[in-house]
Amino acid sequence: MSKPEKLLDKKGLRLDGRKLDELRPIKMEVGVLNNADGSAYLEQGKNKVLAAVYGPKEVHPKHLALADRAILRCRYHMAPFSVEERKSPAPSRREIELSKVIREALEPAVFLEYYPRTAIDIFIEILQADGGTRCAGITTAALALADAGVPMRDLVVACAAGKVDGKLALDLMDLEDKYGEADVPLAMMPGINAVTLLQMDGSLTLEEFQKAVKMAMEGCKQIYEMQKKALKAKYVAIKEEIQE
Amino acid sequence: MSKPEKLLDKKGLRLDGRKLDELRPIKMEVGVLNNADGSAYLEQGKNKVLAAVYGPKEVHPKHLALADRAILRCRYHMAPFSVEERKSPAPSRREIELSKVIREALEPAVFLEYYPRTAIDIFIEILQADGGTRCAGITTAALALADAGVPMRDLVVACAAGKVDGKLALDLMDLEDKYGEADVPLAMMPGINAVTLLQMDGSLTLEEFQKAVKMAMEGCKQIYEMQKKALKAKYVAIKEEIQE
Amino acid sequence: MSKPEKLLDKKGLRLDGRKLDELRPIKMEVGVLNNADGSAYLEQGKNKVLAAVYGPKEVHPKHLALADRAILRCRYHMAPFSVEERKSPAPSRREIELSKVIREALEPAVFLEYYPRTAIDIFIEILQADGGTRCAGITTAALALADAGVPMRDLVVACAAGKVDGKLALDLMDLEDKYGEADVPLAMMPGINAVTLLQMDGSLTLEEFQKAVKMAMEGCKQIYEMQKKALKAKYVAIKEEIQE
Amino acid sequence: MISSIVSRVKQKQIAQLIAKGIRLDGRKLTDYREIKIEAGIIERAEGSARVLLGKTQVLVGVKIEVGEPFPDVPDQGVLTVNAELVPLASPTFEPGPPDENSIELARVVDRGIRESKAIALEELCIKPGKKVFIIFIDVYVLNHDGNLIDASGLAALAALLNTKMYNYELENDEIVRKPGYTPLPIRNHPVAVTFGKINNQLVVDPWLEEEQVMDARLTITTDKNENICAIQKGGSGYFTTQQILDATKIAKEKAEELRKLVVEP
Amino acid sequence: MISSIVSRVKQKQIAQLIAKGIRLDGRKLTDYREIKIEAGIIERAEGSARVLLGKTQVLVGVKIEVGEPFPDVPDQGVLTVNAELVPLASPTFEPGPPDENSIELARVVDRGIRESKAIALEELCIKPGKKVFIIFIDVYVLNHDGNLIDASGLAALAALLNTKMYNYELENDEIVRKPGYTPLPIRNHPVAVTFGKINNQLVVDPWLEEEQVMDARLTITTDKNENICAIQKGGSGYFTTQQILDATKIAKEKAEELRKLVVEP
Amino acid sequence: MISSIVSRVKQKQIAQLIAKGIRLDGRKLTDYREIKIEAGIIERAEGSARVLLGKTQVLVGVKIEVGEPFPDVPDQGVLTVNAELVPLASPTFEPGPPDENSIELARVVDRGIRESKAIALEELCIKPGKKVFIIFIDVYVLNHDGNLIDASGLAALAALLNTKMYNYELENDEIVRKPGYTPLPIRNHPVAVTFGKINNQLVVDPWLEEEQVMDARLTITTDKNENICAIQKGGSGYFTTQQILDATKIAKEKAEELRKLVVEP
């Protein structure tokens, strides 16, 4: 994908026709895989993300287990065909860093102390990538954790804001991320105003950054409502199944 | 080695002068290595193959051991100088696949249940390769297992049949394998008519395939007799040594 | 660095102005790192070497521990920026060999039997390399072992002699090592006349070799005095600290 | 491959049913599970397809890049098949480099495509000896409920049939993209049919519960001309000659049924 | 991140002190430890610097080589940052390939330099699409006593400012060295300021004892124009919005102080 | 390197015998075990040889390929020595990448060949800076009964002397094979002689039982001009100066004997 001349048109609309503070279309589904203890699927624009949770389960080797709580492990991984140039399936340095920050974004939400000496594994697979996959991964993984019945303080939800052609914009897609001026991915537990992931790259004044954080949080809150709806949909479906 | 014009001459003889249903010259020797619990050496045409067996022995790490039987492990490996272009000594994907199918070809023969909580290791080294090394490896490994005193239902023996210049042929050598139309490697326990390895690549009609299987089995039976002779030779030698 | 026309000038002096039997300027300091149980820093010409010792400590996994003595482990490692062309931080074959011979040069000095079931780790980092880093590494590691309070038969000290432009010379620097005729690195415990490392490459007559060994030993003895002084300096410093 | 008491009970149960020609999930011995094929679901990939075989779920993506040919076939494109048993698909899959199971899976899928000459590799040469197209087929197992080989083979074929290449011209040996796309030249349609041997009987399309108790596995890949192009025996048991011959016949019939699902949907 | 009883006691002690605005080592909440910077200590490297931040000790070496540019930016030099947590620096560091901690460290240092456009990469192109200079920044941690990010970032900046490139001319597309050296073109001065959150309060420059008990970590990198160019949250806790905004303001001030130590010493 | 009681008994026994100048297998202190050398046994390799040193068995294959020279010696061929301690040779060898023992073995063999200038690498240049011949020497240990270094060194020398290169001409910088073969240009004949130190005495050619109880190992490689070209001390013990000087003299004599077995058989 080569660089577009402009990221905003005359009316201030974005390449895909969105307004500056508008999210991409989002679709979520909970409980999509059979073997996992919990799972979820999410589409956000062209991003397609699958997450699965296994656990709480035994830890091997045993000396890695903790006496007073579960260990949370996380792997963020991109399918080789998820991006423009085929990606080697071996984990890249970027994937290793993202696995770490995603784990640390989810960890504050989980009551790990309920399951001493166990492990909870989160696997995130990016099937198609179009910018903002770490945020999409967190949103999806939180649903999978809930689906697995792992007790949490709140759902974790993530969204980025950034700056394109001089304006702050919500939920950047790949071209905006690549050719824009800044990107601020943020994850939070909206119920308790806790920011659990925050990264930034690019260039922003303090004032712009402050606004970008606010914008990302607004995006998070919208997605949070969708998360709750998706979870409800699954349990309604189960209920109907039982009543049939 | 470039492509020969023809694989069969006017008389229907093959590049090395063999008839279609003729095996390459085969030489076997049992008990050729000192440190191994069992070992064997085989030459089949230009193939030179060495196999060693260690075990039954303790398993490390212990959690890999099975309570009701031994685990069988197998490594098929080619020496760097065994082929036209030097091969890196790191195991290739091909070697990993062949290690698996060879293990699964030998496993049906071994009374693994006699040795719970142990491991039996089979190491096959291809010192020189000229087509059909997986079959040669199985034939050699079975001798090494017998030499190690591992109890078996029957010896396992392997041989390929294939199609060259439109004709079915036994025991393909490298050029025939590479430029022929199909290759069907097969391993069996002749005493109980049990096929323990079967692979195929190329293109055969059902009828041709049926004939190829029969041809490969005939080859197996001939090699089986040689295996028994080689084992006997070793024990006669030992007996003589004792009587001296 | 391209090849110099000559390694010795008309007066028989070397590229850095040294006489044939002259060591490079050497600086040592003991106890330079906080986390290690023992540490030392050495400059020998342009070589800059840091060594740290951790242990005696528990062994993981446990089955590697020995019932009657400690295991000694050693890693010799070069910083990527220590040499002319950036070196990949992954251990090279050269570094793996040197780690082994350095461990075996230090092992004769350590009373390993005092600490059964434990491990002692030696880490040597070459921050800048200018020839003779294995010797400099041994000299530094011995100081770090002493600083860690590991009981030893004697200090180990190392120095090379070699042949440049037809003459035997002490303590070769990189250009002399690369373009000279031979290099003989040697480590010893001077107190008990025990040679604990000896390597050689190049070409020497038996007589030349004999002289080179003697020359290297003389170099060792000079450096040995510096080692003792450096250790004393540290304990004087501690004593003063306590008395303050 | 099964040790615990619980498993032995299930093993016995499965075996007894099969002796009567019935399977635990109600299928007949030569029935496949329900199959769903969706092609073109990954827009970023040049080709893609997802196959649901019962609860087994496999996604295949095809990527095309420019690279060097192998020295011994300088005028042919390169085919590369890779399989990832990603850990979200099963509690038995571990993260890490491909193990023997994923390598075998990739190589069996590769063999079917390569030996049937499904892709006209000779049409994928850009400049002989220097530049050719490389076709990457990535098999991504998303849920493992048995018979990964057949599901992966079907998904690979569906993805290949769905693959588009951009048009180009050569200018000074450099590729210059032109408007439009052409389908990848596909000449054959290999289809794998896998058998499990349980209690000395063959069952088609073994699912996970059957795989856990079966003695051996046999995969027979046939092409659209009804020739066999690839075979793979797996597992620690054996087959009789008769079983092999029976299997080839059933495989031919079943492959024909499956092929229709992919080729003329 | 702490389980034993001893640690809990220390955790409590640290937390109680911080509630009073005091730290275990006597610093105020926004104080850095003593900082020493020595540049140019590795003559073999094109640039180098050692930073002592209290007892934390980091050595950075810069090497320059000639290589190929990335295809999407054919006219720019390449920046590569690598961090080694060598085992002599801490009992918790293991020999082996980079783990998630050293990768994160390298990438956060990289981001500060890259996003602030500290190096004029466009001036490091030799022949567009073919040959450019590659800048290797190797972060070597020699003693770990906490806050490796700020120490590494400072050492990297000091090393870059100390870096010299040889002069050259192009003859037939080959580099021919000419006498003399030129400084690496450095355009900006990113400085990272890291906060620990302990007992719901922010402390600047957490040392090892504090890192072991803190809930979360926040690093804010600002450039010489007072813009933010990189942020990284770490650790298993969270921050409130207010804490984040407070941190950005403190980071700006602190970065200015630190920048003076490197840029105008 | 030995802990168990049984081993200590054997250790004592070996040591006591050696004090009397006798060895467990009846040899004198400076005797080699029986040596058999077979050259040319791997037809696929450009050169090969198998050496039996008592029950120690080593196979060496030489392969020649075309590749790029090292930048600092653009007009010389490349020598690469690799050693595989394949697991069929000993219960102590593990499958996997080369460990420190196989790397040391390869590097000691390499040093003897390289430092004695045994191969005329300058004659293996095809096009300076671009194309040279690469000589791969692969040491393959088939049975380990002690003193792998001497056996491997002998096998490598025998294989090199047995190596044939195809004739060629250069046409447009491409190699065109011509009929016939030429021997590899071998200029020197390095031979390694290894000593074990047991009970403070030197023994030549230690076998496995001796290796298990010896304190240290010393290998001295001399060339056909009686110069020393490589030395390697191994093991966790030490040598006195006198022992080293004694060893060099014995090594010279023994090497002469061994050299005759390879060079003029």
Side-chain angles (χ1 to χ4, degrees), chain A residues 1 32-35 48 50 52 54 75 77-86 89 123 125 127-130, chain D residues 41-45 55 57 59 61 63 65 82 84 86-91 95-96 136 138 140 142-144:
Chain A
M1 290 177 299
V32 294
L33 297 175
N34 286 86
N35 289 326
K48 301 190 178 192
L50 205 48
Y54 284 89
R75 188 175 103 128
H77 189 243
M78 302 186 93
F81 43 75
S82 64
V83 280
E84 197 69 11
E85 297 242 332
R86 179 182 185 264
F123 301 112
E125 290 291 339
L127 303 180
Q128 182 161 277
D130 189 32
Chain D
I41 60 171
I42 301 295
E43 302 90 337
R44 277 279 149 89
K55 288 176 179 167
Q57 198 179 139
L59 177 59
K63 297 291 293 180
E65 293 186 4
N82 179 60
E84 294 287 312
V86 286
L88 54 61
S90 165
F136 288 97
D138 279 289
Y140 227 62
L142 299 182
N143 197 66
H144 173 27

Side-chain angles (χ1 to χ4, degrees), chain F residues 3-69:
Chain F
S3 318
S4 73
I5 295 168
V6 178
S7 315
R8 279 189 202 147
V9 170
K10 179 163 276 177
Q11 188 170 14
K12 211 173 162 184
Q13 186 189 0
I14 290 175
Q16 284 172 339
L17 279 174
I18 281 174
K20 300 179 197 159
I22 317 172
R23 295 162 79 173
L24 204 58
D25 60 357
R27 281 187 285 159
K28 279 183 276 175
L29 300 189
T30 58
D31 278 357
Y32 265 84
R33 287 168 287 175
E34 194 188 354
I35 297 173
K36 273 190 228 161
I37 302 173
E38 300 164 81
I41 60 171
I42 301 295
E43 302 90 337
R44 277 279 150 90
E46 275 77 14
S48 63
R50 189 171 69 136
V51 164
L52 291 162
L53 175 59
K55 287 177 179 165
T56 285
Q57 197 178 138
V58 176
L59 177 58
V60 167
V62 177
K63 297 292 292 181
I64 303 181
E65 291 187 5
V66 173
E68 285 186 31

Side-chain angles (χ1 to χ4, degrees), chain C residues 27-67:
Chain C
K27 222 176 80 180
M28 297 176 190
E29 200 182 338
V30 174
V32 295
L33 297 175
N34 286 86
N35 288 327
D37 294 313
S39 62
Y41 175 72
L42 175 142
E43 290 185 12
Q44 184 164 3
K46 289 187 179 166
N47 287 322
K48 301 190 178 192
V49 180
L50 205 47
V53 167
Y54 285 89
K57 61 181 201 185
E58 258 187 277
V59 184
H60 291 290
K62 285 188 180 173
H63 72 89
L64 295 178
L66 298 179

Side-chain angles (χ1 to χ4, degrees), chain C:
Chain C
M1 290 177 298
S2 51
K3 188 176 172 172
E5 216 173 302
K6 285 179 159 195
L7 294 169
L8 296 178
D9 70 9
K10 286 174 192 168
K11 293 180 191 162
L13 294 183
R14 297 152 76 177
L15 291 172
D16 55 0
R18 275 189 291 156
K19 283 177 284 183
L20 286 169
D21 61 351
E22 193 180 341
L23 290 170
R24 287 175 283 185
I26 294 176
K27 222 176 80 180
M28 297 176 190
E29 200 182 338
V30 174
V32 295
L33 297 175
N34 286 86
N35 288 327
D37 294 313
S39 62
Y41 175 72
L42 175 142
E43 290 185 12
Q44 184 164 3
K46 289 187 179 166
N47 287 322
K48 301 190 178 192
V49 180
L50 205 47
V53 167
Y54 285 89
K57 61 181 201 185
E58 258 187 277
V59 184
H60 291 290
K62 285 188 180 173
H63 72 89
L64 295 178
L66 298 179
D68 57 354
R69 61 206 157 82
I71 54 171
L72 190 69
R73 298 184 293 206
C74 176
R75 186 175 104 128
Y76 162 97
H77 189 243
M78 302 185 92
F81 43 75
S82 64
V83 280
E84 197 67 12
E85 297 242 333
R86 179 181 185 264
K87 199 209 142 285
S88 156
S92 66
R93 291 166 62 92
R94 178 181 167 276
E95 284 169 298
I96 291 170
E97 185 205 339
L98 292 194
S99 296
K100 179 178 188 290
V101 297
I102 291 173
R103 186 188 71 227
E104 294 173 339
L106 295 166
E107 209 166 340
V110 181
F111 289 104
L112 292 172
E113 56 275 28
Y114 289 10
Y115 302 103
R117 301 193 180 284
T118 68
I120 298 171
D121 278 324
I122 301 169
F123 300 113
I124 297 169
E125 288 291 338
I126 308 300
L127 303 179
Q128 182 161 276
D130 189 32
T133 56
R134 85 193 65 185
C135 288
I138 290 168
T139 303
T140 319
L143 289 175
L145 280 165
D147 185 40
V150 172
M152 290 192 284
R153 285 173 183 81
D154 191 6
L155 285 171
V156 181
V157 58
C159 188
K163 189 175 168 189
V164 292
D165 282 3
K167 306 273 185 189
L168 296 180
L170 184 64
D171 187 18
L172 305 194
M173 59 182 206
D174 195 33
L175 278 172
E176 294 173 331
D177 186 1
K178 201 164 173 195
Y179 298 109
E181 293 103 280
D183 186 33
V184 184
L186 180 150
M188 66 187 303
M189 292 184 274
I192 56 175
N193 184 30
V195 176
T196 64
L197 173 134
L198 181 65
Q199 292 185 295
M200 193 276 225
D201 57 61
S203 183
L204 291 179
T205 65
L206 251 69
E207 201 191 345
E208 285 171 338
F209 171 71
Q210 203 165 331
K211 284 185 188 161
V213 164
K214 213 182 138 197
M215 190 181 245
M217 282 180 161
E218 286 306 317
C220 282
K221 281 168 196 163
Q222 292 177 50
I223 301 173
Y224 184 55
E225 296 307 316
M226 301 182 213
Q227 279 180 315
K228 288 191 286 188
K229 224 168 117 186
L231 280 172
K232 204 182 262 175
K234 156 118 192 221
Y235 290 104
V236 168
I238 290 175
K239 216 173 144 189
E240 283 169 0
E241 212 170 273
I242 292 168
Q243 290 172 341
E244 269 165 22

Side-chain angles (χ1 to χ4, degrees), chain E residues 4 15 29 47 63 68 88 90 94 98 102 108 110 116 132 155 161 174 179 181 191 194 200 202 204 223 255 262-263:
Chain E
S4 73
L29 299 191
K63 297 292 292 180
E68 283 185 33
L88 55 62
S90 165
E94 304 271 353
S102 69
V108 172
D110 180 293
S116 70
V132 300
L161 288 166
E174 295 293 321
Y181 290 86
V191 172
T194 293
N200 210 23
L202 299 182
V204 161
D223 69 7
V262 191
V263 181

Side-chain angles (χ1 to χ4, degrees), chain E residues 164-233:
Chain E
K164 286 188 293 282
M165 304 180 61
Y166 56 80
N167 295 327
Y168 72 95
E169 283 180 11
L170 272 192
E171 295 180 10
N172 299 323
D173 284 358
E174 295 293 321
I175 285 181
V176 180
R177 288 202 183 200
K178 295 285 157 185
Y181 290 86
T182 336
L184 192 68
I186 300 300
R187 300 282 178 264
N188 205 339
H189 307 134
V191 172
V193 172
T194 293
F195 300 83
K197 180 185 158 191
I198 304 176
N199 203 22
N200 210 23
Q201 279 208 270
L202 299 182
V203 301
V204 161
D205 178 30
W207 63 300
L208 193 58
E209 302 256 8
E210 290 171 342
E211 283 191 351
Q212 284 165 351
V213 305
M214 72 191 184
D215 293 316
R217 190 194 72 213
L218 188 65
T219 299
I220 294 167
T221 306
T222 49
D223 69 7
K224 68 176 185 182
N225 310 313
E226 306 200 342
N227 289 327
I228 305 175
C229 54
I231 292 180
Q232 183 86 344
K233 180 257 171 184

